[in-house]
Structure formats: C-alpha cells, structure tokens
C-alpha cells in the first residue's frame, strides 16, 4: 500500500479481506535477500546463521521502539524496515537449511491471528479489551491441548532474553494470576521495606573500597549476597508497579529519557559558561539540575 492509496484503504473487516492485494516491494525484498545468500552473492550474508545474527533482532527492535517513543515517523519507517530485514534474513537462512520459508512464516502468523480473534473472524463476541484477552488465552490453551504438548510450566512462556524489568513484571503477573499475590498494595510496600533492610545488612557485611564500592575479590560470597538482595528489592518494586497498573519497563525508560534531557541542559549550560561539566562543583551541578527540572 503506497501513500497515495492510504486514502482508499479499507473501512471494515469485510473490505479489508475483499481488498487483499499483492505486495511487490515485499516480494522484491525477499528476492534481494535470497540473491545475497546465493553462491555468487555476498560473502558476509552467506556466512550468517540464526545464531550469528540473533542479537541484531533485539537491537533493531529496540531502535524501532526508540523511534516510536520519539514520535519520529521517518525514523520509525526506517527502523521497521530494519526489523523486517531481520525477519526476512532469518527466514531465508531457514529456507537454505530446508526448514521453512518466509511464506510459511506469513501463513502461520496469519492463521494464528485469525484463530485468536474469533470475535472478528468467527462467532464469538468481545465487548472490551478484557474480553479480547480472555478469548486470546482460551484459544492459546486450546492450541496447546490440540497439539498434544505437555502443559508448559507457568513461567515457560516468559522469554529469559527479555529485559530484566519486563521479565520481572511478566513473571510476577503470571504468579499473581495463579494466586501467589499479596492481599494489598500496603503489604507489598512492607515487603519492599523488608528487602531494603536485608540489602542494607548484606552491604554492611561486605568488604568495600574507600568510595563504598563492593570488593568481590575479598569476599565473593558477600558480594554475591549484596547483588541478590538488590535484585530482590528491584523485583519487589516491580510488583508495586504491577499492582499500581504501571509498566515498570516503560516507567524506567521514561525516567532515562528525562535524565538525558536534563543532563543535556546541564551540558549546554556549562558550555555557555565556557566550562566542561567535569569542571563544575557539586553545588553548581545541583543548581543546574534544579533549573532543568523547573524548565520541565
């Protein structure tokens, strides 16, 4: 679909299904990647395996999210292309190994989307997002039962490769849904206080440098205890976020963005004074930080 055709895009499910069109640019991309993997194509592309470029999938996805958060449509268009490139290249590697093709990938996900939206493509009904989520989970359970697969562990569906905050929130959500949950938010805050006390005790017992950094070489077990206790504090705070209905990963990302903006202000102010940030004293840095906060 080109920019020019957006004005005539479908206005209903029936129209969308009836107006299904070919996507020549997608086919051209698939052909290009196939050519790059040919014996007379690109040496680098021919050498790649699923494993060798797996990290690229994560990096490109993060760059796309960054463009989304910056509301940069032009950059998002580029980054979505890079994400799609990873999908097509991984699929071509699988094709070369005789495993599956990009057409199989598209067919599988299309079938899944139709199955998991019976309120759109079937006879079910859903009045709101909660109903949709319930239907989605029901269909997933039916799919697993139909495949005859062993019932997965509760947390098996949470990829260990997720960012830690995202992983923690998904893990805690699943555990809470199974009944492993505090009665009130106040109970979770009490747990935060308990974990903080344990972290402080572990830190007090660990060997430290003059500046307060843990020295693992002197007592590895004590250093590990501090790390584990800090992890417990963070995990419990993620439960606070979940109970509040806040996305912990998104909240921390927003804070990182805010910090970047304020730090950029400090750097600009320092440059305006003809000085480097490193030359500013603590009081000066704090004053500039407060100015940045005041300015938004």
């Amino acid at each position: 679909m080109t920019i020019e055709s957006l004005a005539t895009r479908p206005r209903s499910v029936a129209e969308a299904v009836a107006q299904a069109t070919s996507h020549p640019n997608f086919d051209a991309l698939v052909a290009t990647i196939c050519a790059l993997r040919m014996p007379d194509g690109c040496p680098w592309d021919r050498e790649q395996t699923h494993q060798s470029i797996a990290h690229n999938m994560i990096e490109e996805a993060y760059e796309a999210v960054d463009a989304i958060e910056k509301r940069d449509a032009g950059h998002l268009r580029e980054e979505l292309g890079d994400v799609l490139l990873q999908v097509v290249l991984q699929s071509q590697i699988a094709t070369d190994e005789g495993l599956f093709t990009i057409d199989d990938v598209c067919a599988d996900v299309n079938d899944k989307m139709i199955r998991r939206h019976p309120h759109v493509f079937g006879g079910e009904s859903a009045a709101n997002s909660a109903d949709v989520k319930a239907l989605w989970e029901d269909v997933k359970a039916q799919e697993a039962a139909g495949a005859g697969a062993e019932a997965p562990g509760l947390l098996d569906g949470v990829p260990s490769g997720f960012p830690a905050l995202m992983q923690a929130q998904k893990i805690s959500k699943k555990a809470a849904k199974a009944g492993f949950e505090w009665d009130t938010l106040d109970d979770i805050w009490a747990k935060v206080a308990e974990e903080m006390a344990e972290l402080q005790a572990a830190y007090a017992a660990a060997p430290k440098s003059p500046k307060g950094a843990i020295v693992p070489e002197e007592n590895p077990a004590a250093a590990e205890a501090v790390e584990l206790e800090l992890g417990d504090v963070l995990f419990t705070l993620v439960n606070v976020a979940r109970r509040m209905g806040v996305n912990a990963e998104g909240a921390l990302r927003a804070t990182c963005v805010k910090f970047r903006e304020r730090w950029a202000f400090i750097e600009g102010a320092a440059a305006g004074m003809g000085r480097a940030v490193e030359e500013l004293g603590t009081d000066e840095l704090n004053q500039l930080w407060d100015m940045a906060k005041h300015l938004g």
Side-chain angles (χ1 to χ4, degrees), residues 9-20 114 117-122:
R9 65 185 183 275
R11 302 296 179 179
S12 68
V13 172
E15 284 187 20
V17 173
Q19 294 180 19
I114 291 173
H117 289 80
H119 55 294
V120 176
F121 300 104

Side-chain angles (χ1 to χ4, degrees), residues 202-213:
Y203 176 73
K208 294 173 282 292
S209 71
K211 290 188 176 181

Side-chain angles (χ1 to χ4, degrees), residues 91-109:
S91 298
Q92 185 61 49
I93 292 172
T95 299
D96 296 340
E97 295 176 352
L99 300 176
F100 56 81
T101 70
I102 185 65
D103 291 327
D104 296 326
V105 172
C106 292
D108 288 349
V109 71

Side-chain angles (χ1 to χ4, degrees), residues 214-231:
I214 301 298
V215 184
E217 298 80 10
E218 294 186 15
N219 191 331
E224 182 181 6
V226 173
E227 182 177 300
L228 291 174
E229 293 298 344
L230 179 57

Side-chain angles (χ1 to χ4, degrees), residues 64-77:
V65 170
D66 185 60
I68 291 171
E69 292 179 343
K70 292 178 178 176
R71 300 180 184 276
D72 187 337
H75 191 202
L76 176 59
R77 174 176 172 174

